[in-house]
Amino acid sequence: MYIKSETYQNEMEILYSDANLATFSGTVLASNVDEGDEHGKKYVVAGSLIDKDGKIVTQTGASGSETLTTIPVGIVYRTVDVTNGDQPCSLIVEGYLRADRVLDGFADKAIAAIKTALPNITFR
């Protein structure tokens, strides 16, 4: 008998509520994703900040002087596989999102910049 074990990872729910949810289509750039998983797959996970060019927005700078790499225009709604190149995605531009999942790891200054750049998104 042959038994194969697979480990699956569920997508994290980033919505606080689907009320007033507004999404637009966008493109996520594969060149901005550094490393793949153990199977060589590259993913842009739900909740990632994306700029107008399709690049992932990250935090840079030393403690106390944190900034964002670029200005975000939306947040990825569902995880996107970019293993084979740039892919279309759904970007959240308005709605209620979970702050503990989307803003986790960002410093206070970076969070303030995110909230300013995305005024129609309410974090709870």
Side-chain angles (χ1 to χ4, degrees):
M1 176 194 287
Y2 174 75
I3 298 175
K4 181 180 178 185
S5 177
E6 286 283 333
T7 303
Y8 294 97
Q9 183 175 1
N10 290 337
E11 186 170 75
M12 182 172 40
E13 182 60 56
I14 61 171
L15 295 181
Y16 181 81
S17 168
D18 59 1
N20 300 329
L21 182 66
T23 62
F24 290 110
S25 61
T27 301
V28 178
L29 300 181
S31 61
N32 197 235
V33 180
D34 296 331
E35 298 178 19
D37 64 7
E38 65 274 4
H39 304 291
K41 298 278 190 177
K42 294 172 141 184
Y43 297 102
V44 176
V45 296
S48 297
L49 302 168
I50 302 296
D51 73 0
K52 66 180 178 63
D53 297 322
K55 296 177 185 172
I56 299 170
V57 178
T58 58
Q59 176 178 284
T60 61
S63 181
S65 61
E66 297 90 351
T67 60
L68 299 174
T69 53
T70 57
I71 299 171
V73 296
I75 297 172
V76 176
Y77 183 38
R78 297 282 183 216
T79 299
V80 180
D81 183 350
V82 293
T83 305
N84 297 315
D86 302 347
Q87 295 295 319
C89 71
S90 183
L91 291 176
I92 299 171
V93 294
E94 183 176 339
Y96 296 97
L97 302 181
R98 293 185 55 158
D100 62 332
R101 296 197 175 160
V102 177
L103 301 177
D104 185 41
F106 286 100
D108 291 340
K109 287 178 74 174
I111 290 172
I114 292 167
K115 289 180 177 180
T116 300
L118 303 170
N120 295 324
I121 294 179
T122 302
F123 294 98
R124 297 205 170 195

